[in-house]
Amino acid sequence: MSRNDGREPGELRPVAITPGFVRTATGSALIEAGGTRVICTASVDEDVPRWMMGKGRGWVTAEYSMLPASTGERKKRDVSKGRPDGRTVEIQRLIGRSLRGVVDFEALGERTVWVDCDVLEADGGTRCLSITGGYIALELALRRVIAEGKLDKLPLTQSVAAVSAGIVDGRSLLDLDYSEDSEAEVDANVVMTGDGGLVEVQATAERTPLSRASLDELLALAADGIAALRTAQEEAVAAAAAG
């Protein structure tokens, strides 16, 4: 039985990546998957937080936000509430952890890379798309720093990408859209490196407990999806280099 949009259970939504989408950023990409669209930018500061000064190591941090109209019904800006909501903080910490997991901080030197992920339209999977697109923006920014003669080599140990998976009506599905996510018995977000190493797994059983066999099935789906996303990342970086 096909899904609402005609996909097979283990099929990603169509992915489109536009590298260099924001010309004023050191590195950037617009990443789209189905109805979800996220702008990811990376900015490099020749400085580190005070608590890291003099250690010869750099830092990578992330921020995440959703535009007010990204979900149809207007979402209040965090600034109007005086502080970011708990979901925003959780997601930007996940993005930061995921990206830091593949950075060689000594090779980066005493500089900070800020990765900003802004959701234009949300139809499920915004945090996963932010990680996948955020990595592209990060790599493009670091390649630009190399081109400027400030780095000798790319301070990355691996690529990283993320995808959602879940169980809906008893079926294991890859890359849930909002309608599927809202009905899921089990919802998972899986972050993996390009060589298949797990960085983080967030899995929640909404209605029934998750069996080990079902978790293994979801991880296998995610691994296949992330392999495809890695190819898309490589093609986007190559396109930026060629252009």
Side-chain angles (χ1 to χ4, degrees), residues 113-131:
V113 185
W114 293 83
V115 178
D116 291 288
C117 302
D118 293 286
V119 179
L120 298 179
E121 295 181 42
D123 186 25
T126 62
R127 72 187 68 193
C128 293
L129 217 60
S130 294
I131 292 167

Side-chain angles (χ1 to χ4, degrees), residues 18-243:
T18 307
F21 187 75
V22 180
R23 290 176 296 175
T24 50
T26 313
S28 68
L30 168 67
I31 184 166
E32 306 171 72
T36 297
R37 306 168 71 219
V38 184
I39 293 177
C40 303
T41 61
S43 306
V44 181
D45 284 344
E46 295 295 321
D47 199 0
V48 291
R50 183 175 300 176
W51 55 273
M52 294 190 68
M53 289 181 178
K55 297 182 179 179
R57 294 168 55 85
W59 189 244
V60 172
T61 191
E63 293 190 4
Y64 167 95
S65 69
M66 297 177 68
L67 295 187
S70 60
T71 58
E73 182 177 338
R74 188 180 188 276
K75 180 182 183 298
K76 289 184 178 180
R77 296 183 189 271
D78 288 340
V79 67
S80 68
K81 296 181 290 185
R83 58 181 176 80
D85 61 35
R87 179 179 180 275
T88 295
V89 172
E90 174 207 348
I91 291 175
Q92 63 188 28
R93 285 177 176 172
L94 171 64
I95 298 167
R97 287 194 305 270
S98 300
L99 297 176
R100 286 193 293 272
V102 296
V103 176
D104 181 343
F105 290 115
E106 291 186 359
L108 177 61
E110 292 201 9
R111 51 178 57 88
T112 300
V113 185
W114 293 83
V115 178
D116 291 288
C117 302
D118 293 286
V119 179
L120 298 179
E121 295 181 42
D123 186 25
T126 62
R127 72 187 68 193
C128 293
L129 217 60
S130 294
I131 292 167
T132 303
Y135 172 80
I136 297 168
L138 173 63
E139 181 172 340
L140 291 177
L142 294 174
R143 289 187 180 278
R144 182 168 174 180
V145 175
I146 291 173
E148 293 171 350
K150 298 175 184 177
L151 281 174
D152 296 327
K153 63 177 183 177
L154 196 63
L156 296 171
T157 59
Q158 279 288 331
S159 64
V160 67
V163 72
S164 67
I167 299 176
V168 183
D169 293 331
R171 295 189 301 159
S172 295
L173 305 179
L174 179 68
D175 193 12
L176 307 183
D177 63 20
Y178 178 77
S179 65
E180 293 169 334
D181 185 56
S182 62
E183 297 294 327
E185 296 105 64
V186 175
D187 181 25
N189 297 297
V190 181
V191 186
M192 298 179 73
T193 59
D195 65 355
L198 284 170
V199 176
E200 187 154 342
V201 178
Q202 298 179 336
T204 304
E206 301 283 354
R207 300 171 191 170
T208 57
L210 175 64
S211 70
R212 177 62 181 270
S214 295
L215 177 60
D216 289 344
E217 187 175 2
L218 292 178
L219 290 177
L221 280 177
D224 290 342
I226 287 173
L229 290 171
R230 174 55 184 157
T231 298
Q233 288 174 320
E234 291 173 344
E235 290 173 351
V237 171

